[in-house]
């Protein structure tokens, strides 16, 4: 057994460490060390291979790489020498082409030992991942197009993916202009590209230049169902045939609304507001509202409101709220008239007379003195069914403190007074108010006293300490004919700390009691309130939690209180949304009340320029009561003509969402412009562009601009700027629209002025431009030397390069600089008389053969001038005999 074991070990040794039977030992080994398992198209990769010389002798190796078709080898491979027993890592770098389809590919690396002719190879598999990418951009489009004409845009699309794509195209034009796309569905192979033509129709009735865009949106789908979307825009200037406002009247903006209710009935509202003249200071406003008409009946009554204001006068007539002062009549609604006089003076007068819906008639007068907006005095008188009164009201500043006060006297009895003040310093702000009115005072407030104070202090930027106090008592006379004598008091002190948002903690004490005997109520709430508010980007949030107790002194009962709430809001250009949730017992409710929870959402969304939507929802629940739910939805659509269509609905739900009360309303609004005056600060410019040699022939399609405002000639060559604001203008003609080699017969830009109400006529002829070409050259004697033959001929010595040549007519001057050989040209000149001369000084001892060249050009003439020669002056040479000194 021992001998058998030895033979088995020897046999295993031969298997492991000997070459195969009949084979030969390899002189070297090859092994792939590092390589990527997957790549993206256009990605660069490097593979490493380990070559080991298994012999003690130095070996010469030759390497080669076999890549998939089209793949780029970044560095060439070659030969290398490896000493005996040494190892070397060889690198292979390549780039995957952009259009390589997704799939598995094989890379082969071979190494050959030259002496023993042994070749080894390693095969590496690499997966090319699928990539979805498309390119879309406009390649050809006009710079501008005249309103009413169609134009074409060429877009280029390229499949930059490595998989085939199915594409769907969708076009859209600004202002809803109609367009057509020549192909909307097609396929592209990897790397394939195509062009798409988009035809756009424009509006002929525009009166101002438009920067118009066309959008082409492409949706691409791969064979695996993956999709990508991309879009591109092209911009074109659309030029109107007639620019500016064609309406010569100043109009008052107004709106007519017609509303139809879902349960039958309809109503009308007509309103407007504006000035009587363009840029004027006379302002008017009006509204007229009908009752809601139903079959055989109507609800409500007719209401109207008219007003007129200028710098010194205001007249207000109709159904509105009339205001005098806080003590007399703060707001009184009724139908009447109000007049303000001399409002721009130190002294002014105001007054109104009205009748309320209950039949009471009220009249008031005020005399006001004021030099500064923050300071002034006012004397008021008011007469009503409840009695007459007079008051003196004033406001002003005492240092840094703003003060407002009023005292009032009833006729024949009763009095009241109030005081309000506020101020602020570097680290504090505060204020307060006091009010008192007797029981027989006939004004807005009576038989009451009110006091309030508030103060905040900031010892540092992030910290604020604050407090508020409010107290009010009514029915001071304890009149038993009134149901109660309410008194309430509020105290609150707190801290606010800024830590990104604002964190506040405060102590609140509310007290409410009836001062009549026997009292109906007497309670107090004592709470701690913690709140935090913050905002970031377009969002804002507010969170509060308050806890404490509520006591009923009459019943001798007490209740623990815990209220909390959260609100979130989001606002940006097209979105405005807010949501809230709150839970707790109501303020000044009886002890033992079951907590109520409520939540809601309010959102407005501008879906597009034409479509808007809004949502309003509220829900409130309390144990033992039916839940209350209210929903309001609305959608508005702006029609192309400016009219507005609005659909809204309101639903008040009962206990379930199935039952309840529903109201639907459909409103149609029509914007109107009521002509109230003729515009005064504008003028009109019109004219004609025609063939100068054939004046009866107008030229169509010529673009003109007055200070950038465009106009286009019609088929008769006529153009018009119907409403240019008074001032100076430069009229330019777009030469490209005249045709090649054609120019206007007047010098442009042409300066003109517009006066108020002026109608100016400007006609412009067009001709074929003429041109001049010539050459300036120096001449000198044929023979050189000190002494020349008297009649030696003059020959050209070279062109006068860089010289400035001037072409001048009676009203135009042009310059040209000669090239190095002396050639110059004026490519576009009007056909008329011209004088040419040289502006530069001549070299010493030279003169021009012709100082000025005068010529008359004909339309379209291309004049070649004879050589303009610069000649040497003739000079005498005097030989002086040298004097001999010795």
């Amino acid at each position: 057994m021992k001998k058998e074991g030895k033979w088995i070990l020897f046999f295993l040794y031969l298997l492991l460490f000997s070459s195969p039977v009949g084979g030969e030992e390899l002189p070297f080994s090859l092994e792939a060390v590092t390589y990527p398992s997957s790549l993206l198209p256009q990605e660069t990769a490097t593979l490493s291979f380990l070559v080991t010389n298994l012999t003690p002798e130095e070996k010469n190796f030759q390497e080669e790489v076999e890549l998939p078709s089209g793949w780029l080898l970044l560095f060439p491979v070659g030969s290398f020498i490896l000493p005996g027993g040494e190892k070397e890592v060889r690198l292979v770098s390549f780039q995957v082409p952009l259009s390589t389809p997704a799939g598995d590919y094989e890379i082969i690396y071979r190494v050959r030992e030259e002496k023993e002719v042994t070749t080894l190879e390693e095969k590496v598999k690499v997966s090319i991942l699928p990539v979805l990418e498309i390119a879309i951009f406009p390649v050809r489009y006009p710079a501008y197009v005249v309103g009413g004409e169609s134009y074409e845009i060429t877009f280029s699309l390229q499949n930059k993916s490595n998989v085939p794509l199915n594409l769907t195209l969708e076009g859209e034009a600004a202002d809803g202009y109609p367009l057509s796309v020549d192909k909307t569905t097609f396929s592209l192979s990897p790397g394939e590209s195509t062009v798409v033509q988009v035809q756009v129709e424009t509006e002929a009735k525009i009166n101002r230049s438009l920067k118009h865009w066309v959008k082409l949106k492409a949706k691409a789908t791969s064979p695996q169902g993956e999709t990508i979307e991309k879009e591109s825009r092209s911009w074109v200037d659309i030029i109107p045939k007639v620019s500016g406002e064609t309406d010569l009247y100043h109009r008052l903006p107004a709106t007519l609304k017609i509303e139809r209710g879902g349960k039958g009935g309809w109503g009308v509202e007509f309103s407007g507001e504006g000035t009587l003249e363009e840029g004027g200071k006379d302002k008017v406003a009006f509204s007229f509202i009908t009752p809601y008409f139903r079959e055989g009946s109507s609800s409500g009554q007719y209401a109207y409101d008219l007003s007129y204001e200028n710098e010194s006068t205001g007249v207000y007539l109709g159904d509105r709220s009339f205001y005098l002062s806080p003590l007399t009549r703060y707001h009184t609604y009724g139908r009447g008239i109000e007049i303000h006089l001399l409002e721009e003076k130190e002294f002014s007068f105001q007054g109104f007379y009205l009748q309320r819906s209950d039949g009471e008639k009220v009249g008031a007068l005020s005399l006001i003195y004021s030099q500064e907006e923050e300071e002034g005095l006012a004397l008021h008188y008011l007469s009503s069914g409840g009695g007459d009164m007079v008051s003196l009201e004033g406001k002003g500043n005492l240092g840094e403190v703003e003060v407002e006060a009023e005292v009032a006297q009833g006729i024949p009895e009763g009095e009241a007074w109030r005081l309000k003040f506020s101020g602020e310093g570097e680290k504090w702000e505060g204020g307060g108010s006091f009010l008192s009115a007797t029981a027989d005072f006939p004004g807005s407030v009576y038989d009451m006293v009110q006091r309030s104070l508030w103060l905040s202090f900031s010892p540092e930027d992030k910290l604020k300490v604050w407090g508020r106090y409010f107290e009010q008592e009514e029915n001071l006379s304890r009149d038993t004919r009134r149901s109660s004598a309410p008194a309430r008091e509020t105290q609150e002190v707190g801290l606010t700390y800024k830590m990104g948002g604002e964190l506040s903690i405060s102590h609140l004490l509310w007290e409410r009691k009836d001062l009549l005997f026997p009292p109906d109520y007497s309670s107090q709430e004592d709470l701690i309130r913690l709140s935090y508010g913050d905002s970031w980007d377009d969002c804002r949030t507010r969170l509060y939690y308050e806890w404490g107790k509520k006591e009923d002194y009459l019943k001798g009962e007490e209740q623990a209180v815990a209220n909390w709430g959260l609100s979130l809001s989001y606002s940006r250009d097209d979105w405005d949304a807010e949501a809230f949730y709150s839970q707790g017992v109501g303020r000044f409710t009886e002890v033992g009340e079951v907590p109520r929870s409520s939540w809601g959402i309010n959102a407005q969304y501008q879906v597009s320029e034409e479509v808007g939507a809004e949502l309003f929802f509220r829900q409130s629940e309390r144990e033992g009561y039916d839940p209350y739910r209210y929903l309001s939805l609305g959608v508005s659509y702006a029609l192309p003509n400016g009219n507005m269509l609005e659909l809204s609905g309101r639903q008040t739900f009962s206990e379930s969402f199935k039952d309840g009360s529903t109201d639907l309303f459909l409103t149609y609004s029509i914007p109107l412009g009521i002509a109230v005056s003729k515009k005064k600060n504008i003028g009109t410019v019109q004219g004609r562009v025609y063939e100068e040699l054939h004046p009866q022939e107008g030229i169509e399609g010529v673009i003109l601009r007055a200070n950038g405002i465009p106009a286009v000639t019609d088929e008769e060559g006529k153009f018009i700027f119907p409403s240019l604001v008074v001032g100076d203008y430069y009229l330019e003609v777009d030469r490209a629209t005249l045709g090649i080699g054609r120019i206007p017969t007047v010098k442009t830009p042409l300066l003109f002025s517009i006066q108020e109400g002026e109608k100016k006529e400007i006609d412009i002829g067009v001709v074929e431009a003429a041109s001049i070409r010539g050459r300036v050259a120096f001449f000198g004697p044929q023979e050189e030397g000190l002494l020349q033959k008297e009649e030696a001929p003059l020959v050209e010595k070279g062109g006068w390069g860089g010289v400035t040549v001037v072409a001048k007519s009676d009203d135009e001057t042009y310059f040209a600089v000669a090239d190095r050989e002396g050639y110059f040209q004026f490519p576009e000149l009007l056909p008329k008389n011209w004088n040419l001369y040289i502006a530069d000084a001549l070299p010493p001892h030279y003169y021009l053969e012709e100082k000025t060249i005068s010529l008359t050009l004909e339309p379209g003439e291309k004049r070649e001038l004879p050589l303009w020669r610069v000649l040497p002056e003739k000079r005498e040479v005097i030989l002086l005999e040298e004097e001999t000194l010795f």
Side-chain angles (χ1 to χ4, degrees):
M1 289 297 294
K2 291 183 179 179
K3 291 183 178 180
E4 291 176 356
K6 290 180 178 178
W7 281 107
I8 293 172
L9 291 174
F10 179 74
F11 180 73
L12 291 174
Y13 176 83
L14 291 177
L15 286 177
L16 293 173
F17 299 102
S18 301
S19 58
V21 176
E24 300 179 358
E25 287 189 6
L26 295 175
F28 69 98
S29 65
L30 176 64
E31 178 184 358
V33 180
T34 60
Y35 53 89
S37 60
S38 60
L39 292 171
L40 293 170
Q42 213 172 12
E43 190 172 356
T44 299
T46 299
L47 283 65
S48 62
F49 297 89
L50 178 64
V51 181
T52 305
N53 186 352
L54 301 177
T55 70
E57 301 177 358
E58 183 179 85
K59 297 289 183 180
N60 293 323
F61 295 97
Q62 185 70 35
E63 59 184 349
E64 64 180 46
V65 177
E66 186 176 321
L67 296 175
S69 176
W71 290 29
L72 177 63
L73 186 66
L74 298 180
F75 304 103
V77 296
S79 60
F80 62 96
I81 299 174
L82 196 59
E86 295 290 327
K87 301 178 181 181
E88 184 172 330
V89 175
R90 305 295 295 176
L91 302 179
V92 176
S93 297
F94 58 90
Q95 185 180 43
V96 181
L98 178 65
S99 58
T100 303
D104 294 332
Y105 294 83
E106 189 174 68
I107 300 169
I108 302 175
Y109 177 73
R110 296 188 182 92
V111 176
R112 180 170 60 89
E113 195 277 319
E114 296 181 351
K115 184 177 180 180
E116 299 185 19
V117 196
T118 301
T119 301
L120 297 180
E121 68 178 32
E122 280 285 310
K123 296 181 180 181
V124 174
K125 286 187 178 181
V126 176
S127 297
I128 302 302
L129 302 175
V131 174
L132 266 66
E133 179 64 29
I134 56 174
I136 175 172
F137 51 90
V139 294
R140 187 168 59 250
Y141 49 89
Y144 60 82
V145 64
V146 177
E149 298 179 354
S150 62
Y151 70 94
E152 189 174 73
I153 306 170
T154 301
F155 286 90
S156 174
L157 283 90
Q158 181 183 7
N159 180 3
K160 302 182 75 174
S161 310
N162 59 354
V163 294
L165 295 177
N166 296 320
L167 289 103
T168 303
L169 300 183
E170 181 181 346
E172 180 185 355
D175 303 311
Y177 285 3
L179 58 76
S180 59
V181 183
D182 65 342
K183 50 185 175 182
T184 56
T185 55
F186 54 92
S187 298
L188 289 178
S189 301
E192 185 182 1
S193 61
T194 187
V195 293
V196 175
Q197 308 293 339
V198 179
Q199 193 80 17
V200 186
E201 302 291 334
T202 66
E203 175 63 50
K205 295 181 180 180
I206 62 172
N207 62 357
R208 59 183 178 87
S209 296
L210 297 176
K211 196 77 173 176
H212 188 260
W213 56 261
V214 170
K215 178 173 68 177
L216 188 64
K217 183 177 180 181
K219 181 179 179 181
T221 306
S222 71
Q224 293 76 26
E226 297 176 285
T227 62
I228 59 170
E229 293 184 357
K230 213 159 198 181
E231 64 180 43
S232 179
R233 295 194 186 208
S234 171
W235 295 86
V236 174
D237 288 325
I238 300 181
I239 299 174
K241 292 186 176 180
V242 177
S243 294
E245 299 179 13
T246 56
D247 189 358
L248 300 182
Y249 290 92
H250 171 64
R251 297 181 180 273
L252 185 71
T255 303
L256 176 64
K257 287 186 178 181
I258 303 172
E259 184 177 85
R260 173 71 176 179
K263 294 182 179 179
W266 56 276
V268 177
E269 179 181 350
F270 184 48
S271 60
E273 183 177 358
T275 59
L276 294 178
E277 294 181 353
E278 189 174 24
K281 297 181 180 179
D282 293 344
K283 301 177 182 179
V284 295
F286 66 90
S287 68
F288 176 79
I289 304 174
T290 69
Y292 212 71
F293 297 104
R294 291 183 174 86
E295 291 187 12
S297 65
S298 63
S299 59
Q301 61 180 4
Y302 288 96
Y304 69 93
D305 187 8
L306 306 173
S307 68
Y308 167 82
E309 294 179 354
N310 59 27
E311 290 183 323
S312 61
T313 305
V315 179
Y316 311 90
L317 181 67
D319 300 280
R320 60 195 306 269
S321 286
F322 295 83
Y323 168 83
L324 189 60
S325 74
L327 291 181
T328 55
R329 285 295 175 95
Y330 196 71
H331 283 292
T332 300
Y333 186 85
R335 177 171 294 179
I337 183 172
E338 183 173 355
I339 299 176
H340 297 185
L341 299 175
L342 305 174
E343 288 194 319
E344 85 287 3
K345 304 292 184 181
E346 292 181 2
F347 285 95
S348 61
F349 299 89
Q350 296 180 9
F352 62 79
Y353 178 80
L354 65 97
Q355 181 172 330
R356 290 162 44 95
S357 59
D358 59 5
E360 180 187 12
K361 297 178 181 179
V362 181
L365 290 174
S366 295
L367 173 62
I368 302 169
Y369 170 79
S370 178
Q371 287 185 318
E372 301 291 339
E373 185 176 352
E374 298 82 8
E375 299 180 355
L377 284 173
L379 180 63
H380 307 295
Y381 173 77
L382 183 136
S383 177
S384 67
D388 298 349
M389 68 199 81
V390 61
S391 81
L392 180 64
E393 183 181 15
K395 60 180 180 177
N397 295 325
L398 296 176
E400 299 297 324
V401 179
E402 298 179 4
V403 180
E404 182 180 324
E406 182 182 6
V407 293
Q409 179 66 50
I411 302 174
E413 56 186 357
E415 59 186 29
W417 65 274
R418 66 180 183 89
L419 174 66
K420 182 179 179 181
F421 60 93
S422 63
E424 60 180 310
E426 183 178 353
K427 293 188 175 183
W428 67 274
E429 57 182 348
S433 64
F434 301 92
L435 183 147
S436 176
T438 61
D440 50 2
F441 181 67
S444 298
V445 294
Y446 64 95
D447 203 12
M448 66 177 294
V449 63
Q450 185 184 93
R451 293 175 287 269
S452 69
L453 290 170
W454 62 274
L455 178 66
S456 68
F457 174 69
S458 301
E460 60 177 59
D461 292 341
K462 294 185 177 182
L463 180 64
K464 181 166 66 174
V465 183
W466 48 271
R468 290 190 285 261
Y469 175 79
F470 177 83
E471 181 184 15
Q472 178 174 300
E473 294 183 19
E474 300 180 51
N475 195 3
L476 302 178
S477 61
R478 305 297 187 263
D479 187 350
T480 56
R481 291 172 296 179
R482 298 168 63 179
S483 61
S484 65
R488 57 191 179 100
E489 181 179 350
T490 302
Q491 301 175 34
E492 184 175 8
V493 292
L495 295 172
T496 298
Y497 184 75
K498 294 182 180 178
M499 41 176 295
E502 285 192 349
L503 178 65
S504 296
I505 185 169
S506 62
H507 174 248
L508 300 94
L509 188 66
W510 285 283
E511 189 171 351
R512 176 175 173 263
K513 55 187 175 181
D514 182 7
L515 299 179
L516 279 181
F517 186 82
D520 286 339
Y521 51 85
S522 179
S523 63
Q524 177 182 279
E525 295 182 39
D526 190 347
L527 302 176
I528 300 296
R529 182 183 179 97
L530 185 66
S531 66
Y532 180 76
D534 201 354
S535 62
W536 61 96
D537 296 332
D538 301 320
C539 300
R540 295 180 300 278
T541 184
R542 188 76 181 175
L543 172 67
Y544 75 89
Y545 180 76
E546 58 186 29
W547 68 97
K549 63 179 181 178
K550 177 186 294 189
E551 294 182 82
D552 189 324
Y553 294 129
L554 297 183
K555 297 180 180 180
E557 297 177 352
E558 183 178 306
Q559 176 186 2
V561 174
N563 302 329
W564 70 277
L566 171 67
S567 66
L568 295 170
S569 63
Y570 174 80
S571 179
R572 58 180 304 173
D573 294 340
D574 52 355
W575 264 105
D576 192 2
E578 180 181 10
F580 76 90
Y581 177 84
S582 65
Q583 180 175 303
V585 296
R587 195 71 66 218
F588 299 129
T589 55
E590 293 185 1
V591 172
E593 181 192 14
V594 178
R596 179 197 305 268
S597 66
S598 61
W599 67 277
I601 185 170
N602 184 24
Q604 293 87 34
Y605 177 47
Q606 193 65 37
V607 182
S608 65
E609 293 183 1
E610 299 82 14
V611 180
E614 61 179 22
L615 163 70
F616 181 88
F617 179 76
R618 291 290 184 272
Q619 175 172 300
S620 179
E621 292 183 280
R622 186 170 53 168
E623 186 179 343
Y625 295 86
D626 291 337
Y628 170 79
R629 301 183 183 98
Y630 176 82
L631 174 66
S632 173
L633 294 170
V635 179
S636 62
Y637 176 71
L639 281 70
N641 60 2
N643 295 357
M644 179 74 72
L645 186 64
E646 298 172 87
L647 177 63
S648 62
R650 298 192 292 265
Q651 173 78 30
T652 302
F653 299 97
S654 61
E655 185 175 355
S656 69
F657 278 97
K658 298 180 181 180
D659 303 322
S661 172
T662 304
D663 292 304
L664 293 175
F665 299 92
L666 182 64
T667 305
Y668 190 73
S669 303
I670 307 171
L672 303 171
I674 304 172
V676 291
S677 63
K678 195 168 184 178
K679 296 177 181 177
K680 295 181 179 180
N681 64 334
I682 62 172
T684 300
V685 174
Q686 60 185 20
R688 186 169 170 265
V689 180
Y690 60 92
E691 296 285 355
E692 179 71 21
L693 301 181
H694 305 283
Q696 72 279 6
E697 297 180 13
I699 304 176
E700 183 181 4
V702 178
I703 298 174
L704 303 97
R705 290 182 174 86
N707 287 8
I709 303 172
V712 183
T713 58
D714 61 13
E715 62 275 4
E716 297 180 2
K718 295 180 180 180
F719 67 89
I720 184 171
F721 297 94
S723 54
L724 296 179
V725 178
V726 170
D728 296 331
Y729 291 84
Y730 285 93
L731 181 65
E732 297 179 282
V733 179
D734 189 334
R735 298 277 294 277
T737 60
L738 294 178
I740 299 175
R742 291 160 59 81
I743 58 176
T745 57
V746 297
K747 182 181 178 180
T748 58
L750 175 65
L751 174 65
F752 68 91
S753 298
I754 282 293
Q755 306 299 322
E756 193 172 284
E758 181 182 9
K759 293 184 177 180
K760 188 178 287 290
E761 190 85 21
I762 299 177
D763 293 337
I764 300 174
V766 177
V767 295
E768 293 287 336
S771 64
I772 297 174
R773 189 174 184 272
R775 184 169 179 261
V776 184
F778 287 100
F779 278 73
Q782 185 173 5
E783 299 179 14
E784 299 291 345
L786 182 61
L787 299 176
Q788 304 284 354
K789 293 181 181 180
E790 187 173 344
E791 298 298 331
L794 298 176
V795 296
E796 182 182 329
K797 298 298 184 180
W800 190 358
V803 66
T804 301
V805 182
V806 182
K808 184 175 179 59
S809 68
D810 53 354
D811 60 348
E812 292 182 280
T813 302
Y814 295 98
F815 300 88
V817 178
D819 63 16
R820 66 176 57 187
E821 296 181 2
Y823 286 100
F824 66 89
Q825 64 178 345
F826 296 93
E828 289 188 339
L829 294 175
L830 279 172
K832 57 180 177 179
N833 297 326
W834 292 91
N835 293 315
L836 274 64
Y837 62 89
I838 290 177
D840 296 343
L842 290 165
H845 310 299
Y846 279 89
Y847 70 96
L848 280 167
E849 186 175 31
E850 293 184 70
K851 288 187 177 181
T852 303
I853 299 176
S854 299
L855 67 160
T856 301
L857 297 176
E858 300 296 330
E861 180 181 1
K862 301 184 185 325
R863 179 73 64 92
E864 290 282 344
L865 297 179
L867 189 61
W868 201 347
R869 304 199 305 172
V870 183
L871 304 177
E873 295 177 348
K874 291 184 179 180
R875 292 179 286 167
E876 294 183 359
V877 179
I878 301 176
L879 298 178
L880 299 176
E881 183 178 350
E882 185 175 353
E883 184 178 352
T884 303
L885 298 178
F886 301 99

